Amino acid sequence: MNLPPAGNDRVSRDAWIISVVSALVGLTALGFARFGYALLLPLMREGLGLSYAQAGWISGANLCGFLGGALLGGMLAGWFGARPVVGTALVLAALGAGLTAVSQAPMAVVGWQLLVGFGAGGAIVPAQNLPVVWFPPPRRGFASGIPSAGIGVGLVVVGMAFPALLPLTIRGLTGWRLAWAAIGGALLAVSVLSFWLLRESPAARRETGRVRDVFRIPGVWRLCGVYIFFGYSYLSYVAFFGAAVAGQRHWAPAAIGGAWAIGGMLSISSGLCWGALSDRIGRRRAISLVFGVMALAYLTMALVPWDGAVYASAALWGIVAWAIPSLAVAVANDYVGARLLHPVMALVNLVGALGQISGPVVTGYTVDLTGSFVPGLVLAAVVALAGGATALTLAERSGDGLAAARTRGR
């Protein structure tokens, strides 16, 4: 690959190539491997003869693996570079998906889903960082949204292709097993592209810094706080969207899926649009506005009785769905520069997991306690507004580098 000279604001061909590969990692590692299992889990439970508790172990294993992979992948990428980490992580995820497709023992499936989640998390954190560090500063917000576009496309593909695949049986493999085999094949193909095409940016090679130094930057911890608020409110809504519409509005599954598809399609450009806006108005203002739209989506679902409110809520969610994960990468790069971006985002994802885990738990508890989804959704909106307020405390950066973050972030 030809490296662009320092100071050149033109987006190089290599930057676009790396961005496309990063989007494909998002498509497969998150769109397929991370979110696809939600559609496959009911059929897996039936096919393997699992109880709901056992099915929960499969879902939990995928999430735990993802969080562990995100932490380790980011740290290793800081030491060895993104290419070997992303490529190897995708191979592991592909292996887990393929073994899930052929395994008969429930506990074996739990183990293989742990591997799928681990590989997906280990790949996505370094991959989502690369476009930002390859693009020039005036366009890094836009670049941060490119991997998330792949995630949105993956959700749409899953929603359209899996229903056609699930009724099939080929060579003894039923639909959900075929789906996991297809996911494994896609992961393996993208791993080849990652080993071939991914590169660290010239900025990462010029900069210096130690991983332990990032823990001394207050702005990094404020960003972690923003991510906790995001994870709590986001997962509270996503985990209970279908249940809330079915339980309180008595919609059929097909109608619920149609409303959710609107959000999924709008989510494709969410990271790109909000990232581009952040290039103009600043990261903290953009993040705060995103949290405001999120809160409006949750309150619309909770408080507006008109059935059209479901479509409006899903649309509002869709236009901001991947914005904060994308913008967080841009903010982190503004704080620490290219070299330490991978470990910083590993830390942000790890701390943010506190919100992802607690959100659905607290929301489920409020549903059991009150018999209504309204209090949980209202609480999610309040948490989102708190996230918007916290985002306004983030410092804007005019350039990269750990030294600038130390000097101006305290």
Side-chain angles (χ1 to χ4, degrees), residues 74-167:
M75 293 298 180
L76 291 176
W79 292 323
F80 303 111
R83 176 168 58 176
V85 174
V86 173
T88 302
L90 289 174
V91 170
L92 293 176
L95 178 63
L99 291 171
T100 296
V102 299
S103 294
Q104 302 294 330
M107 290 310 297
V109 172
V110 170
W112 301 136
Q113 280 300 296
L114 183 70
L115 185 60
V116 170
F118 182 84
I124 193 60
V125 168
Q128 73 179 356
N129 299 336
L130 285 179
V132 171
V133 298
W134 271 90
F135 271 58
R139 302 189 66 182
R140 284 178 178 164
F142 170 82
S144 71
I146 295 176
S148 68
I151 301 171
V153 172
L155 286 177
V156 173
V157 171
V158 165
M160 296 177 64
F162 278 18
L165 188 63
L166 294 179

Side-chain angles (χ1 to χ4, degrees), residues 248-249 297-305 313 373-378:
Q248 297 201 181
R249 299 176 186 261
Y298 308 154
L299 292 174
T300 300
M301 172 71 81
L303 302 178
V304 180
S313 176
F373 290 92
V374 171
L377 290 170
V378 171

Side-chain angles (χ1 to χ4, degrees), residues 321-336:
W322 316 120
I324 289 179
S326 301
L327 291 171
V329 177
V331 171
N333 183 74
D334 292 343
Y335 277 124
V336 302

Side-chain angles (χ1 to χ4, degrees), residues 96-264:
L99 291 171
T100 296
V102 299
S103 294
Q104 302 294 330
M107 290 310 297
V109 172
V110 170
W112 301 136
Q113 280 300 296
L114 183 70
L115 185 60
V116 170
F118 182 84
I124 193 60
V125 168
Q128 73 179 356
N129 299 336
L130 285 179
V132 171
V133 298
W134 271 90
F135 271 58
R139 302 189 66 182
R140 284 178 178 164
F142 170 82
S144 71
I146 295 176
S148 68
I151 301 171
V153 172
L155 286 177
V156 173
V157 171
V158 165
M160 296 177 64
F162 278 18
L165 188 63
L166 294 179
L168 302 179
T169 299
I170 299 177
R171 295 187 177 182
L173 296 180
T174 55
W176 69 265
R177 295 182 182 277
L178 292 172
W180 277 114
I183 291 172
L187 289 164
L188 193 59
V190 177
S191 74
V192 173
L193 292 176
S194 299
F195 277 121
W196 179 27
L197 296 173
L198 291 184
R199 298 289 189 277
E200 291 298 326
S201 72
R205 297 170 184 168
R206 292 193 300 267
E207 294 174 3
T208 60
R210 299 168 298 179
V211 171
R212 66 172 182 245
D213 290 336
V214 304
F215 296 101
R216 304 188 190 130
I217 305 174
V220 170
W221 292 105
R222 287 194 288 269
L223 182 60
C224 289
V226 167
Y227 227 64
I228 290 176
F229 288 127
F230 164 70
Y232 180 98
S233 58
Y234 174 87
L235 262 295
S236 295
Y237 178 79
V238 170
F240 290 96
F241 177 87
V245 178
Q248 297 201 181
R249 299 176 186 261
H250 310 294
W251 281 28
I256 297 172
W260 192 242
I262 293 173

Side-chain angles (χ1 to χ4, degrees), residues 4-20:
N8 187 358
D9 283 348
R10 182 181 64 86
V11 179
S12 68
R13 182 192 65 177
D14 296 336
W16 286 114
I17 291 173
I18 286 169
S19 297
V20 169

